[in-house]
Structures are given as structure tokens and as C-alpha cells.
Amino acid sequence: MNEPKIMLVDDEPDILDLLEKALKIEGYHNITKIENGNSAVTACREIQPDMIILDVMLPDLDGYEVCRQIREFSHCPVLFLSAKNDELDKILGLAVGGDDYVTKPFSPKEVAYRVKAALRRTQYGQAPIGNFSMQIGELMIDADGCRVRKRDREIGLTAREFEILRYLAENLGRVISRERLYETIWGEDSFGCDNTVMVHIRHLREKLEENPAAPQYIITLKGLGYKLVNPYEK
């Protein structure tokens, strides 16, 4: 297996060097450092990284716009770094396609851990996803290939979105609470998880459902959580 490619985007060289050092300690050496948003978008097209750590406050394009543009052609995990600790900023980061959000000042070890966790959820982890594929209505979920198809059309999902869908599929027809979903997928305590989970579920519905406002696959049970169902077996 090739070593994962990690792209660091921050306009502060000291932070880039700090992150690079922390990642190298964890065994990641294929690292590209970028100092502005426009260059990040161009480099992402050329390098096709497996993971991006992206600062929100950049001198040209801000991190949110960089992520929006990257999501037009890449679904690799994106971890935002930001000096802002406001809940709305975190929601915005998730809304534009981010997978994780860490506020400054941060622990380099924590960021390296989150990178390792994100890569583990994709094809570079030590723990394999396992053999799992399922046809649910018009959806084909292929865990080995980390792909989802609907009517022979491949649907591009971020790493978090795919893991949420896979987990719901493994528990087809069962109600999964937001707290359990967050603790399982994010691997963290579920305190304050509601908005994070809701944003990702909304993104999944926008990609999977014919009418996201009237979902047929991912159903909400008010006060209880979500469940994935086969709309043809109701």
C-alpha cells in the first residue's frame, strides 16, 4: 500500500512545520505544505491528497471557499484548523464539506491522532473496514471500494458521510441515536454532537434522496434518531 499523501494548508510557516513534525513522528512522510488558498486548490488537483489539514483564515481564499472548490473534484477527508471557537463556524465548516474541526491553539498530537483516525476510516487504516456490500433499494454500498452507486451512477461521498451510511446500513431498519452515531463515527464523547450529525445527515440526503425534504432512505424518528430503510420493502 502506498504511503498516504497529506496536504497542509496554512499561511503561518511555523504552524506548517509544527504539523509536519507531529505527522512525521506518527510515520507520515509524504507531506505537502501550502501557504495560500488558490495554491491549495491547484495542488489538490495535481497531488490528489488522501488527507487535507486546512486553515480557515488564509490570505486569499478562506478555508471554507477552498473546501467548497475542492469538494467539486475530491472527497478526501478535510480537517479544518481555526482560531474561531464559535459553534456556527464549526457548522459552516461541516456544511461546506469538512470532516473535522480543531480550534487554535491546538495540540499537534491531537491533530496527528485525528489524521490517523480519518485515514483509518479510509483505505489507509491499520484496521480494515471488512467485507461488506449491500443492495438497499436502488443503492449499492461497497465497503471494500468505499463506493456508493444509485441506478449505476456513482455518488461522491466524503469519508464521514460514507462511514455514517455504512454504519446505518449495517444496522438496517434499526433506530440509531445521534449520540451513538457520533460516538461510533467520530470516536468521541457525544456532548454537543447534534448539529454535527444533523449537517452530515442533511448532506447524505441531498446526495442520496430524490427529494431530501421527504427522504425515503434515511428516516428521522423525532427524539430517537435515524434509521436506514429499503423504501421498496415498506
Side-chain angles (χ1 to χ4, degrees), residues 191-222:
F191 179 76
C193 73
D194 283 7
N195 285 327
T196 299
V197 174
M198 288 170 63
V199 168
H200 281 80
I201 291 292
R202 187 178 77 239
H203 286 173
L204 271 172
R205 284 172 171 159
E206 289 170 353
K207 295 177 179 182
L208 301 178
E209 305 280 3
E210 295 296 322
N211 179 5
Q216 299 296 305
Y217 286 95
I218 302 177
I219 307 301
T220 299
L221 283 85
K222 191 172 182 179

Side-chain angles (χ1 to χ4, degrees), residues 19-226:
L19 290 169
E20 181 181 36
K21 182 178 179 180
L23 290 168
K24 284 185 174 179
I25 290 173
E26 296 298 325
Y28 302 113
H29 298 279
N30 194 346
I31 297 170
T32 300
K33 297 186 288 185
I34 305 291
E35 295 188 12
N36 65 75
N38 282 308
S39 295
V41 176
T42 300
C44 187
R45 288 185 184 276
E46 296 173 352
I47 298 168
Q48 297 183 12
D50 302 294
M51 177 81 202
I52 300 173
I53 300 177
L54 177 60
D55 186 29
V56 171
M57 303 299 290
L58 294 171
D60 48 1
L61 299 180
D62 67 32
Y64 299 135
E65 180 58 28
V66 171
C67 188
R68 284 191 194 97
Q69 293 190 26
I70 285 174
R71 281 291 175 249
E72 293 177 3
F73 59 88
S74 173
H75 299 286
C76 75
V78 173
L79 186 157
F80 277 111
L81 295 179
S82 177
K84 300 179 179 180
N85 194 26
D86 190 276
E87 184 71 15
L88 290 177
D89 291 301
K90 295 181 181 181
I91 294 171
L92 179 57
L94 299 174
V96 298
D99 297 277
D100 209 346
Y101 194 103
V102 174
T103 56
K104 297 178 179 179
F106 58 84
S107 161
K109 274 190 173 182
E110 179 189 355
V111 173
Y113 170 81
R114 288 174 183 262
V115 168
K116 183 178 288 187
L119 291 172
R120 185 181 297 119
R121 287 189 292 268
T122 61
Q123 65 266 40
Y124 284 102
Q126 296 296 321
I129 291 175
N131 296 322
F132 177 82
S133 62
M134 181 180 285
Q135 181 83 39
I136 302 173
E138 295 177 319
L139 297 179
M140 171 58 77
I141 302 169
D142 172 16
D144 286 338
C146 294
R147 291 191 300 267
V148 178
R149 301 183 68 84
K150 184 178 182 181
R151 299 195 206 105
D152 296 325
R153 176 178 63 87
E154 187 157 338
I155 298 172
L157 301 181
T158 68
R160 293 280 193 198
E161 290 164 358
F162 181 83
E163 282 301 296
I164 291 171
L165 181 62
R166 183 178 72 91
Y167 186 66
L168 290 174
E170 289 174 338
N171 293 275
L172 187 67
R174 298 175 185 167
V175 180
I176 307 296
S177 69
R178 291 175 183 168
E179 293 78 12
R180 181 178 170 192
L181 200 55
Y182 189 86
E183 290 171 355
T184 301
I185 303 303
W186 276 262
E188 301 174 7
D189 186 271
S190 61
F191 179 76
C193 73
D194 283 7
N195 285 327
T196 299
V197 174
M198 288 170 63
V199 168
H200 281 80
I201 291 292
R202 187 178 77 239
H203 286 173
L204 271 172
R205 284 172 171 159
E206 289 170 353
K207 295 177 179 182
L208 301 178
E209 305 280 3
E210 295 296 322
N211 179 5
Q216 299 296 305
Y217 286 95
I218 302 177
I219 307 301
T220 299
L221 283 85
K222 191 172 182 179
L224 296 176
Y226 305 98

